[in-house]
C-alpha cells in the first residue's frame, strides 16, 4: 500500500480517498488488527520526514536480523515471519519511515505514550481534528512495529542520550517518595510533537538548526534525528552550557542542539538562543508508575551489558563491585544452587519437591559463575572471591551468604541501613541498598541462565531498576527492612523458594519486554496464569517445551527470547498462550487411558522400555487475544491422552531432583527387600487407589528412554492421585536403587509429618 506525495500534503483529500491494495495486504493488516486507514495516515505522517540512506539501511538490516521459529507441528510461530506487517512496510520509503518512527518510539516509551505522540504529531503536521485514527488504532500499529529495533544499537543510543540528562545530577531516589522529577523527566506530548515537526523541516532542508530545551524526551528526539535522518546533534545542560556532553558534528554546527534544563528556567534559556528554539515542558501524569509512595519511570532506553549495572545503579553499583563480600555472596549462591541440583544430603528429601527449575548447566556451581560473567562482564572483578566461596559444604555456603550480607549492611549508606544502625548523619536518601542490590543481581543471573537469546538483545535500564524495587514475591523492599532481610536471607530455604519458573518469566518481561511498567505482584500473576508463551513490548517469550516435548528438566525450562509476536497458523496474532485444559480440575474418577497391569517387582527388568510407539500433536484453540494449547498423545491402538503444556512442565519439575545419587546408572539391581514394590508396564494413566489396594506403596513405571510414554506417566501420576500426598520421582541420571531408597524416605517423611497418609503411593518413572 504505497503512498506518493509531492509538495504540501492534502490531508482533506487524503481522508476522502479510496484505499486500494491487494487482498494479501488487507489480510496482513487484519491479522495484526490494524485498520488500513490507520496505516494510510501513519504513512502520510512519515512521508514528511526525509530519511537518510544510512537510516534506510539500518532499518533494512534490522529486519534482516530478525528471526522466527515454530512450535511442535508448526501450530504456532514465534518472532517476525516473512508475512509480518513490518516486512510489508519496508517495501516502500513511506512504510520504512513509518516503521522507523513507530519502532523507535516503542523502544523508549510505552505503547500508550507512543500512540499519543503519533496522534499529536499528525495534528501538528496538519491532519484536521477528528479525522485521525483512534488512539486504540495507533496503539495497535505501534504494537505491530514494536521490537523491530530491539536487536539494534538504537535503544542503547537513545538510552545514552537520555542518561546524559543526569550525568552531573542526582538520580531518582530509590528509597524515598522524594523524586527529582526533572531527572529523566518526561515531556508534554504536544511540545514533543511540535519538536518533531521542527525535525521534519530540518530533514527537508527548510530549517538549518533548532534548539530543544527541556527534559529527557529531548534525548529521544536527538537519537531519532541522528540515527534515522543523519542529522548532527549536540547535547549540553543548562547549568554547564560550556560543557558539551555529546556532539556528532565535526565542524561544531549541529542541526539539533539539546539543552537539558535542570534549573527549571527554560523560558530564560529560550530568550538567549538565536536559532529556532522549542521548549519541551515536563508532564508527569503519563510517565510515572506509582508503587505506594514511590514513582517508577515507565520509559527508558537500553544499556549495554558491559556497563548495565553501573548505568542502572550508578555509584552504588561501583561500590558493590569493589566489595569482596559481594563475590562471596555470588559464590555461595552458586554452591547452594549446585546442592539442589545434586540433591545434597544436607537437603531433606521432602524439601526438594518444590518444582525447582534450575537444572541447566549455567544455573548452578561453576556454570552459574560463568553465566554471571557472560551476561554481566562487570562482575569480573569479584570472580576470584566468588570461586573461593563456591566450594565447600552446603552449611558453609549458607553461613558465608548470610555473613556477607551482614557485612554489606555495615558499609551501606542507604537511608534504611543507616536508620537500622542508628546513624542518620550519613543518611544518603538517593542511595540504593547494597544488600538488596546484591540479592537482585544473584536472582538476575540465575534467571538469565535459564534464557536462550535467539537474537542478541540489550537490557532495559528501567527493567533493571524495576527488578531492584520489586522482590520476586512482588513486595516492595524497604518498608521494614528488618523483616525484609530476615524473610530473604536468614532462612536457608527462602533463598531458593522465591526462585521459580514464574520468576524467570517476570524477569524476562522486565529486562527485555519493552516498556511495560510492571506493578507489585508480577510474579504472582505469572504463577496464576502460567503461560507457556507470551509477548511484551514487541518481544516474544516461549518455553522450549512448546518446540520439543521433553521429560528432561534441563531443557524443558529454557525460556527462548526473540523480537516479534506469536502467530497462529491462520496468521492472527495473540499475546499469550495458556493450557487448553486444566488437569487439576478434570474428573479423576477413573483413567480414560489406563496403563498395563501390575506385575511383581523384578530388578533385572525394572529399567526396560515397555512403552509403545506414541505420536504427539499440538492442539491450538484460538481466542480473542490469546490461544489455548495442549499436547495430544495417541497410541497405535487408538488410545489418546491430552496434556497441557504448562501442566507437563510442572509435572517434570515437581518430580525431578528427588534422588541423591551421583552414579550414572551403574546398576539396576535392588539390594534391599522388594516388599511393597511393584511395576507397571506400558504407557498410560494409573490410579493410586488401585495400587494401594494391592499393597503397593512404591510403583516403578518401566518406560526407560521413552520420552512420550514418560510424559504421560508424569502427568497421570499428578492427575489420578486419590491420596493428595502421593508423590512421583522422575528418574534421569540416577540409579534405580537410589530411586527406591529415596521413595522410601519420602514416604516415611510424609507419614511422620502427616499421620494418616498410609495410602500414599510413590511412583518412580524409570
Amino acid at each position: 500500500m504505497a503512498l506518493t506525495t509531492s509538495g504540501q500534503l492534502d490531508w482533506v483529500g487524503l481522508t476522502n480517498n479510496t484505499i486500494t491494495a491487494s487482498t494479501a495486504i488487507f489480510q496482513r493488516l487484519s491479522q495484526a488488527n490494524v485498520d488500513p486507514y490507520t496505516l494510510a495516515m501513519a504513512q502520510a505522517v512519515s512521508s514528511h520526514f526525509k530519511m537518510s540512506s544510512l537510516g534506510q539501511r539500518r532499518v533494512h538490516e534490522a529486519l534482516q536480523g530478525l528471526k522466527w521459529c515454530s512450535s511442535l507441528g508448526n501450530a504456532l510461530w514465534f518472532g517476525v515471519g516473512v508475512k509480518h506487517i513490518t516486512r510489508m512496510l519496508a517495501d516502500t520509503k513511506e512504510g520504512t519511515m513509518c516503521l522507523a518512527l513507530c519502532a523507535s518510539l516503542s523502544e523508549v516509551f510505552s505503547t500508550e505514550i507512543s500512540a499519543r505522540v503519533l496522534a499529536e504529531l499528525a495534528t501538528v503536521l496538519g491532519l484536521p481534528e477528528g479525522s485521525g485514527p483512534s488512539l486504540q488504532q495507533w496503539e495497535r500499529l505501534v504494537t505491530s512495529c514494536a521490537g523491530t529495533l530491539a536487536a539494534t544499537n538504537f535503544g542503547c543510543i537513545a538510552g545514552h542520550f537520555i542518561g546524559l540528562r543526569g550525568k552531573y545530577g542526582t538520580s531518582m531516589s530509590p528509597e524515598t517518595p522524594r523524586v527529582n522529577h526533572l531527572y529523566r523527566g518526561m515531556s508534554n506530548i504536544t511540545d514533543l510533537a511540535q519538536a518533531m515537526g521542527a525535525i521534519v523541516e530540518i530533514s527537508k532542508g527548510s530549517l538549518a538548526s533548532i534548539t530543544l530545551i527541556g527534559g529527557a524526551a529531548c534525548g529521544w528526539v536527538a537519537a531519532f534525528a541522528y540515527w534515522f535522518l543523519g542529522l548532527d546533534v549536540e547535547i549540553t545542560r543548562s547549568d554547564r552550557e560550556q560543557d558539551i556532553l555529546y556532539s556528532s558534528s565535526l565542524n561544531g554546527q549541529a542541526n539539533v542542539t539539546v539543552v537539558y534544563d535542570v534549573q527549571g528556567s527554560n523560558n530564560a534559556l529560550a530568550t538567549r538562543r538565536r536559532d529556532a528554539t522549542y521548549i519541551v515542558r515536563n508532564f508527569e501524569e503519563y510517565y510515572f508508575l506509582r508503587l505506594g509512595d514511590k514513582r517508577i519511570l515507565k520509559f527508558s532506553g537500553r544499556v549495554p551489558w558491559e556497563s548495565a549495572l553501573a548505568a542502572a545503579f550508578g555509584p552504588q553499583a561501583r561500590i558493590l563491585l569493589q566489595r569482596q563480600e559481594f563475590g562471596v555472596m555470588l559464590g555461595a549462591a552458586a554452591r547452594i544452587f549446585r546442592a539442589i541440583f545434586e540433591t545434597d544430603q544436607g537437603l531433606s528429601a521432602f524439601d526438594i519437591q518444590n518444582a525447582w527449575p534450575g537444572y541447566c548447566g549455567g544455573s548452578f556451581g561453576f556454570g552459574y559463575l560463568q553465566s554471571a560473567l557472560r551476561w554481566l562482564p562487570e562482575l569480573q572483578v569479584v570472580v576470584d572471591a566468588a570461586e573461593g566461596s563456591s566450594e565447600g559444604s552446603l552449611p558453609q555456603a549458607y553461613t558465608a551468604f548470610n555473613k556477607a550480607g551482614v557485612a554489606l549492611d555495615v558499609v551501606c549508606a542507604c537511608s534504611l541501613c543507616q536508620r537500622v544502625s542508628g546513624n542518620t548523619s550519613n543518611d544518603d536518601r538517593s542511595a540504593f541498598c547494597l544488600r538488596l542490590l546484591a540479592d537482585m543481581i544473584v536472582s538476575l543471573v540465575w534467571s538469565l541462565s535459564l534464557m536462550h537469546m535467539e537474537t542478541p538483545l540489550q537490557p532495559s535500564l528501567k527493567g533493571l531498576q524495576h527488578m531492584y524495587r520489586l522482590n520476586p514475591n512482588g513486595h516492595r523492599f524497604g518498608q521494614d527492612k528488618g523483616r525484609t532481610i530476615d524473610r530473604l536471607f536468614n532462612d536457608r530455604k527462602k533463598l531458593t523458594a522465591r526462585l521459580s519458573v514464574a520468576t524467570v518469566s517476570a524477569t524476562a518481561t522486565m529486562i527485555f519486554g519493552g516498556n511495560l511498567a510492571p506493578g507489585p505482584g508480577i510474579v504472582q500473576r505469572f504463577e496464576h496464569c502460567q503461560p507457556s508463551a507470551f509477548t511484551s513490548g514487541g518481544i516474544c517469550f516461549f518455553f522450549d517445551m512448546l518446540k520439543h516435548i521433553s521429560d528432561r528438566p534441563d531443557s524443558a525450562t529454557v525460556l527462548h527470547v526473540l523480537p516479534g509476536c506469536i502467530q497462529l497458523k491462520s496468521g492472527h496474532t495473540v499475546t499469550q498462550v495458556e493450557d487448553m485444559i486444566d488437569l487439576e480440575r478434570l474428573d479423576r474418577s477413573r483413567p480414560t487411558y489406563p496403563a498395563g497391569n501390575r506385575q511383581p517387582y523384578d530388578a533385572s527388568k525394572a529399567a526396560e522400555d515397555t512403552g509403545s510407539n506414541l505420536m504427539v500433536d499440538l492442539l491450538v484453540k484460538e481466542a480473542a487475544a490469546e490461544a489455548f494449547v495442549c499436547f495430544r498423545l495417541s497410541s497405535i491402538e487408538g488410545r489418546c491422552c491430552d496434556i497441557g503444556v504448562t501442566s507437563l512442565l510442572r509435572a517434570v519439575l515437581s518430580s525431578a531432583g528427588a534422588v541423591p545419587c551421583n552414579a550414572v546408572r551403574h546398576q539396576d539391581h535392588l539390594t534391599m527387600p522388594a516388599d511393597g514394590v511393584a511395576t507397571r508396564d506400558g504407557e498410560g494413566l494409573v490410579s493410586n487407589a488401585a495400587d494401594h489396594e494391592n499393597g503397593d506403596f512404591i510403583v516403578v513405571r518401566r518406560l526407560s528412554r521413552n520420552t512420550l510414554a514418560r510424559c504421560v506417566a508424569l502427568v497421570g501420576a499428578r492427575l489420578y492421585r486419590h491420596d493428595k500426598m502421593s508423590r512421583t520421582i522422575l528418574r534421569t541420571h540416577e540409579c534405580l536403587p537410589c530411586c527406591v531408597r529415596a521413595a522410601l524416605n519420602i514416604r516415611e517423611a510424609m507419614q511422620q509429618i502427616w499421620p494418616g497418609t498410609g495410602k500414599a503411593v510413590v511412583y518412580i518413572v524409570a
Side-chain angles (χ1 to χ4, degrees):
M1 191 163 65
L3 174 68
T4 304
T5 62
S6 60
Q8 185 68 28
L9 181 65
D10 181 8
W11 285 101
V12 176
L14 180 62
T15 56
N16 293 323
N17 280 348
T18 300
I19 298 176
T20 58
S22 66
T23 304
I25 291 179
F26 282 123
Q27 181 184 23
R28 294 192 198 183
L29 293 176
S30 174
Q31 292 169 350
N33 296 318
V34 176
D35 188 83
Y37 179 76
T38 302
L39 184 58
M41 293 299 102
Q43 289 188 344
V45 169
S46 304
S47 67
H48 287 77
F49 295 93
K50 183 179 180 181
M51 181 181 282
S52 67
S53 57
L54 178 59
Q56 294 182 41
R57 187 167 75 245
R58 283 170 169 162
V59 174
H60 288 288
E61 288 177 351
L63 284 173
Q64 292 173 1
L66 297 179
K67 300 179 181 180
W68 67 93
C69 57
S70 64
S71 68
L72 182 70
N74 297 331
L76 299 170
W77 289 86
F78 310 104
V80 179
V82 294
K83 294 184 178 182
H84 195 272
I85 184 176
T86 56
R87 300 192 188 276
M88 179 195 73
L89 285 172
D91 291 339
T92 63
K93 289 185 177 180
E94 294 84 2
T96 302
M97 188 68 247
C98 175
L99 176 59
L101 180 60
C102 295
S104 62
L105 281 167
S106 66
E107 274 295 290
V108 175
F109 307 120
S110 68
T111 302
E112 178 187 359
I113 297 173
S114 302
R116 291 182 181 275
V117 171
L118 289 174
E120 194 64 35
L121 179 59
T123 301
V124 169
L125 295 178
L127 178 64
E129 186 175 355
S131 301
S134 66
L135 184 62
Q136 182 186 52
Q137 274 297 311
W138 285 118
E139 289 182 354
R140 289 176 178 175
L141 178 61
V142 171
T143 300
S144 299
C145 299
T148 304
L149 303 176
T152 69
N153 291 329
F154 177 80
C156 290
I157 292 174
H160 176 64
F161 286 0
I162 293 172
L164 294 175
R165 170 64 181 83
K167 187 172 183 179
Y168 296 99
T170 57
S171 65
M172 188 169 60
S173 169
E175 303 292 352
T176 68
R178 178 178 61 82
V179 178
N180 178 5
H181 73 276
L182 290 176
Y183 176 78
R184 294 185 177 273
M186 266 306 304
S187 312
N188 183 286
I189 292 178
T190 302
D191 292 347
L192 181 58
Q194 291 176 346
M196 289 296 292
I199 297 295
V200 167
E201 300 302 319
I202 296 179
S203 69
K204 295 192 300 186
S206 303
L207 193 63
S209 63
I210 63 169
T211 296
L212 303 180
I213 300 174
C218 300
W220 173 81
V221 176
F224 177 83
Y226 168 76
W227 221 68
F228 295 108
L229 307 182
L231 303 180
D232 287 326
V233 300
E234 182 178 288
I235 301 176
T236 185
R237 284 167 48 106
S238 60
D239 57 344
R240 294 173 178 262
E241 284 194 76
Q242 70 278 10
D243 295 337
I244 298 177
L245 304 180
Y246 176 85
S247 178
S248 64
S249 175
L250 299 178
N251 57 11
Q253 301 296 322
N255 303 111
V256 181
T257 300
V258 172
V259 180
Y260 285 129
D261 179 23
V262 297
Q263 299 170 320
S265 56
N266 45 29
N267 290 323
L269 289 170
T271 60
R272 300 206 306 263
R273 311 298 300 192
R274 295 183 178 180
D275 53 2
T277 302
Y278 291 81
I279 299 173
V280 186
R281 295 166 294 178
N282 287 314
F283 190 66
E284 296 185 23
E285 178 182 354
Y286 296 106
Y287 314 108
F288 287 94
L289 169 71
R290 288 195 174 274
L291 293 179
D293 57 357
K294 291 184 177 65
R295 291 178 294 179
I296 295 180
L297 288 166
K298 291 184 180 180
F299 84 101
S300 74
R302 299 182 185 271
V303 292
W305 284 111
E306 292 76 10
S307 58
L309 297 178
F313 305 106
Q316 281 70 45
R318 289 186 284 271
I319 293 173
L320 182 64
L321 294 174
Q322 295 171 359
R323 304 297 305 185
Q324 185 178 6
E325 295 87 350
F326 175 50
V328 171
M329 289 185 69
L330 279 176
R335 176 63 182 90
I336 295 171
F337 298 150
R338 179 165 66 92
I340 299 177
F341 171 78
E342 296 176 347
T343 319
D344 193 283
Q345 296 291 348
L347 299 170
S348 69
F350 208 60
D351 289 338
I352 55 182
Q353 295 281 341
N354 59 358
W356 173 256
Y359 291 97
C360 295
S363 61
F364 59 88
F366 183 72
Y368 175 82
L369 300 181
Q370 291 296 105
S371 296
L373 294 179
R374 181 167 64 92
W375 289 99
L376 300 170
E378 295 167 282
L379 300 180
Q380 180 67 52
V381 295
V382 298
V383 69
D384 291 338
E387 290 178 351
S389 60
S390 64
E391 302 298 332
S393 65
L394 180 59
Q396 289 174 336
Y398 282 126
T399 301
F401 190 90
N402 290 330
K403 285 186 176 180
V406 173
L408 290 178
D409 282 340
V410 175
V411 298
C412 183
C414 77
S415 59
L416 291 170
C417 285
Q418 291 297 310
R419 286 201 298 271
V420 170
S421 64
N423 182 10
T424 58
S425 59
N426 297 325
D427 185 351
D428 185 354
R429 300 178 69 84
S430 65
F432 292 92
C433 176
L434 295 182
R435 189 170 185 180
L436 298 183
L437 181 57
D439 174 69
M440 186 278 293
I441 296 173
V442 169
S443 300
L444 173 63
V445 172
W446 181 85
S447 296
L448 291 172
S449 70
L450 299 177
M451 300 181 198
H452 176 71
M453 307 294 294
E454 301 289 344
T455 302
L457 300 178
Q458 305 297 330
S460 164
L461 181 144
K462 174 209 64 185
L464 291 170
Q465 293 179 341
H466 274 310
M467 279 205 66
Y468 172 86
R469 291 175 172 86
L470 299 176
N471 73 20
N473 291 320
H475 303 296
R476 288 182 298 117
F477 288 133
Q479 287 184 335
D480 186 334
K481 185 172 181 181
R483 287 203 299 268
T484 300
I485 294 299
D486 287 340
R487 184 174 68 252
L488 293 180
F489 297 100
N490 291 344
D491 189 325
R492 69 180 192 178
K493 301 175 186 177
K494 296 296 177 62
L495 171 63
T496 55
R498 56 197 171 87
L499 300 177
S500 63
V501 172
T503 305
V504 179
S505 299
T507 300
T509 300
M510 289 186 282
I511 298 301
F512 302 111
N515 287 282
L516 174 70
I522 180 174
V523 176
Q524 283 90 333
R525 292 200 299 272
F526 276 106
E527 289 177 344
H528 175 71
C529 63
Q530 296 182 333
S532 53
F534 54 96
T535 60
S536 176
I539 308 298
C540 176
F541 311 90
F542 65 95
F543 285 100
D544 192 78
M545 186 71 82
L546 279 170
K547 291 181 64 177
H548 313 286
I549 184 171
S550 174
D551 62 339
R552 297 189 58 84
D554 56 336
S555 61
T557 54
V558 173
L559 183 68
H560 295 264
V561 182
L562 75 164
C565 62
I566 304 173
Q567 280 189 308
L568 310 181
K569 276 188 176 180
S570 63
H572 288 91
T573 60
V574 294
T575 59
Q576 191 163 277
V577 176
E578 298 182 28
D579 280 2
M580 184 183 300
I581 55 176
D582 186 351
L583 294 182
E584 302 297 335
R585 299 180 182 178
L586 290 182
D587 180 17
R588 299 191 182 94
S589 58
R590 59 183 304 164
T592 57
Y593 184 7
N597 295 326
R598 170 194 177 277
Q599 296 182 6
Y601 179 80
D602 185 349
S604 63
K605 300 180 179 179
E608 292 183 358
D609 175 15
T610 61
S612 62
N613 294 322
L614 293 173
M615 299 174 290
V616 59
D617 294 304
L618 183 65
L619 307 183
V620 180
K621 180 180 179 181
E622 182 179 352
E626 57 188 357
F628 298 93
V629 300
C630 73
F631 293 121
R632 171 157 290 179
L633 293 99
S634 55
S635 68
I636 56 178
E637 294 86 3
R639 300 186 300 176
C640 66
C641 174
D642 291 343
I643 302 176
V645 177
T646 304
S647 297
L648 176 58
L649 179 60
R650 292 202 308 266
V652 170
L653 295 181
S654 63
S655 305
V659 182
C661 175
N662 294 323
V664 184
R665 303 193 179 205
H666 57 276
Q667 61 175 346
D668 283 333
H669 299 289
L670 186 61
T671 58
M672 61 181 67
D675 295 339
V677 182
T679 63
R680 278 191 178 270
D681 294 344
E683 80 283 349
L685 307 175
V686 297
S687 169
N688 67 350
D691 286 322
H692 182 266
E693 291 176 359
N694 294 325
D696 303 326
F697 52 84
I698 295 178
V699 178
V700 180
R701 302 293 306 276
R702 301 200 300 172
L703 301 167
S704 178
R705 296 179 296 277
N706 192 322
T707 298
L708 298 182
R710 283 158 62 90
C711 290
V712 174
L714 285 171
V715 176
R718 287 172 57 88
L719 177 59
Y720 294 101
R721 53 182 188 185
H722 291 264
D723 190 321
K724 294 184 178 180
M725 295 297 103
S726 294
R727 291 290 185 268
T728 305
I729 293 177
L730 173 63
R731 182 191 183 196
T732 53
H733 63 278
E734 305 89 354
C735 66
L736 189 58
C738 288
C739 292
V740 175
R741 292 189 184 93
L744 290 171
N745 294 336
I746 290 175
R747 196 170 187 276
E748 181 181 354
M750 288 190 298
Q751 290 176 336
Q752 291 177 354
I753 298 175
W754 294 293
T757 57
K759 294 184 178 181
V761 178
V762 179
Y763 290 93
I764 301 175
V765 181

